[in-house]
Every structure is written in C-alpha cells, then in structure tokens.
Amino acid sequence: MNQTETHPSYIALDHWGDYLEENTDGRWTLEIYPNETLGAQAEALQLVSDGSVELAIVSGPQLENLNKDFIALNLPTTFDNIDHQMKVLAEDEVVGELFNSLRETNNIVVLGGFTQGNRSVYTTFGPVETPDDLNGMKLRVQESELNLAMAEALGASATPMAYGELYSGLQSGVVDAAENNEVSYATQRHYEVAPHWSQTNHLVGLDYLIINSTMLDSMTDEDREIFMEGWDEARALHVELWLEATDDSIAQAEEDGATIHIVDETIFDEALEPLVDQFLTTDTQLEVYEGARALSEKDVE
Ligand code: GCU
C-alpha cells in the first residue's frame, strides 16, 4: 500500500491481520508494506496480478486502466457522500459483476473498498475559488484518462504522477497543485510544501482491496469465511476511524501553518458535471452508474 502506518487504511488492515492470526491458529496473517515499499499502485496492481503479492489497496483510477467500466464509480458525481458510497459497495446487484470482471483477464478479484472521503484541491500558491485560479497551473492527478480530463475541467494543466512522488513534485515546482483528502494531505505532510487547502469537495474517492484470484481460490472454505469476516470488521473499523482522522488532519495541517479556504463547491461540481456524458459510453458503465445513483437519497436526480 502507499499510505503511512498512521493512516486509517493501514490501521484497519493491521487489525484484520491480527484477526486472521487469532482465528486461524496462525495459518493466515497479513504482512503489510506501507509507503510504496513494494512499489507505487500501478506496480502493486501488476504484482497482485502475477501473484508475487497477494493483496493490495489501489485507488479507483488504477482499475479504470484495466477495465473502463470502473469509470462508473470514479466520476465526481457518482457518490454523494461516504454513507452513500458504502451503501453502493454493499449492493452486490450493482457492483458484483464489476468486482469479478478482472478475474479472467488479470487474476484479480475486488473484495471491496475503503472510502477516500472527499477530495479537495491544494496548492503551493494560494486559494482556488474558481477554476480560473488554476489556469496555467500544473495539477497533479492520479494516472488515468478520467483524472486527466478532470484536471482540465478544473481549469488546470494535468500532470499524472504516483502518490509517493508528489511531496517532492510540489516541493521542486514540478507541479503547483494536487487534489486529495485531508487525511492524505496531513499524513503525507503535503501541507509543508502546499499550504493552501481549498475545500472544493469535488469527488468522493474510493480505494479497492484487490486480491490474487488463485490465492483466494486456494483457501479452504472455512478459512475464506474467516478471511471475509475479518475484512468486514476491517471495513467497519475504517469507517469509524475515517471521520476522526479527517478532523485531526485538518487540525494538524492548520496547526502546522496551512490555511483552509472555504469556497463555493457548486462552481466545481458544475465544472465537472460534463464528464458524466463524456465518459459513460458503454452499457455496463451506464448500468453501474445508474445503479449507484439510484441508491442516492438526493431528491432531484
Ligand atoms: C488517496 C488514496 C490513494 C491514492 C491517492 C492518490 O490517498 O487513498 O489510494 O493513491 O489518494 O491521490 O494517488
């Protein structure tokens, strides 16, 4: 994984490892490698596919690069908030086929997800109140076609880059801005080099837990059941940890000198809205997207 040991995703996985060890008499446990020790997400994806690593946490855009249908869950308009996102993930009718779609082609099964919460824009130079403020600026995005288009729609020039390179990218001026959640902003200490956080809340992001399918199939039914029970616990713990970590992260960033700018979110929502029509082109994408939107509690759709 690419997060630090203080990030909720690490803590939740660590808990899962303990659960496995206790409940399988030590037959199974997890050895977790934080901070891209085994490579950035694009590499981790490959390692899980070829079986040299069993599990990885990867962000939605990485799976979009293997199967474009995942775009349906990567769009800025897919999820209203974390609750809605969790509801969608629990709905097998909506996500079941998609999560098994990489089995034949890549030996990968998606077991479920951790939220990335709301993503916002932060910069080295000042607040971003409208897309005009990003004009001519280089915005780091995750490596996917949708993310490139998102940067452009936000008014910036897009620079795809792995997460672990971003601190030095911001520091050296290779990029002027990035977008992420508060927890990443603080755990990666990006606020040291990009101290202006603008609360755009433009997208609720999603991380996936992926597993090598041969390894999943090789487990006994009993062990697989324990494995999934532990994963359910880890997911529940993650949700619990997330909100607190978000508050703590803002406090930490502010205390260490960052400025939080409250901006009009609707301007950014409107700028990103056209991506839906631009990127949803296949029947499966539309089906998954509409299935997800149908679980929204917003009145007007
Ligand atoms: C979040 C997310 C990661 C992702 C990162 C990024 O931190 O949890 O999975 O890699 O954003 O922007 O690259």
Side-chain angles (χ1 to χ4, degrees):
M1 71 185 308
N2 63 7
Q3 308 292 359
T4 64
E5 283 156 292
T6 54
H7 189 282
S9 300
Y10 182 95
I11 298 170
L13 291 180
D14 193 40
H15 175 84
W16 185 24
D18 291 345
Y19 182 95
L20 288 178
E21 200 160 342
E22 273 167 36
N23 290 281
T24 62
D25 298 324
R27 282 193 303 285
W28 294 95
T29 187
L30 295 181
E31 236 173 83
I32 311 169
Y33 294 85
N35 301 315
E36 297 187 356
T37 331
L38 297 178
Q41 286 187 349
E43 282 95 38
L45 196 61
Q46 193 49 48
L47 293 174
V48 173
S49 179
D50 69 29
S52 31
V53 168
E54 283 84 15
L55 298 149
I57 297 283
V58 295
S59 190
Q62 299 291 341
L63 295 191
E64 166 191 334
N65 294 330
L66 296 184
N67 174 3
K68 295 252 173 290
D69 292 339
F70 279 92
I71 287 178
L73 301 181
N74 289 344
L75 284 160
T77 42
T78 306
F79 303 116
D80 297 341
N81 49 42
I82 299 175
D83 281 352
H84 173 224
Q85 186 180 57
M86 290 301 127
K87 235 199 262 174
V88 173
L89 286 190
E91 204 58 59
D92 202 49
E93 289 252 313
V94 179
V95 298
E97 266 181 48
L98 184 66
F99 285 7
N100 278 293
S101 66
L102 302 173
R103 195 184 247 280
E104 300 300 322
T105 46
N106 303 85
N107 279 328
I108 286 174
V109 172
V110 175
L111 285 189
F114 284 152
T115 192
Q116 294 176 7
N118 272 299
R119 295 179 73 110
S120 285
V121 173
Y122 50 98
T123 76
T124 56
F125 57 85
V128 175
E129 281 161 356
T130 73
D132 277 349
D133 295 323
L134 283 171
N135 193 5
M137 296 297 173
K138 286 183 278 305
L139 172 69
R140 177 272 171 176
V141 287
Q142 300 178 78
E143 312 98 303
S144 89
E145 219 182 299
L146 171 62
N147 272 261
L148 295 180
M150 194 172 80
E152 308 281 338
L154 286 172
S157 104
T159 306
M161 186 185 280
Y163 187 56
E165 288 169 29
L166 183 50
Y167 186 100
S168 62
L170 288 162
Q171 190 176 37
S172 62
V174 170
V175 290
D176 311 294
E179 51 83 50
N180 218 314
N181 54 61
E182 292 85 348
V183 181
S184 284
Y185 187 53
T187 52
Q188 297 293 310
R189 306 184 80 84
H190 288 164
Y191 56 77
E192 291 175 352
V193 284
H196 292 277
W197 174 276
S198 299
Q199 195 78 36
T200 53
N201 285 340
H202 57 270
L203 179 142
V204 185
L206 181 57
D207 276 332
Y208 294 106
L209 177 77
I210 57 166
I211 185 166
N212 177 274
S213 55
T214 314
M215 131 90 200
L216 182 65
D217 297 343
S218 75
M219 292 179 118
T220 63
D221 288 347
E222 187 201 344
D223 281 352
R224 196 177 311 110
E225 204 172 301
I226 297 168
F227 191 75
M228 293 311 291
E229 278 164 15
W231 166 237
D232 285 344
E233 269 203 16
R235 285 187 302 132
L237 174 63
H238 189 273
V239 171
E240 239 175 75
L241 295 173
W242 188 262
L243 296 178
E244 203 182 314
T246 301
D247 289 346
D248 291 351
S249 297
I250 300 172
Q252 183 194 333
E254 276 191 308
E255 203 178 295
D256 287 356
T259 308
I260 309 295
H261 305 278
I262 302 301
V263 299
D264 181 357
E265 293 175 25
T266 57
I267 299 176
F268 298 91
D269 292 345
E270 279 163 21
L272 294 172
E273 178 80 44
L275 294 176
V276 178
D277 287 341
Q278 199 182 327
F279 276 86
L280 291 184
T281 53
T282 71
D283 289 348
T284 308
Q285 287 173 335
L286 283 166
E287 232 172 79
V288 174
Y289 183 77
E290 278 159 17
R293 292 308 305 151
L295 294 167
S296 159
E297 280 172 8
K298 274 194 189 164
D299 294 339
V300 194
E301 282 309 316

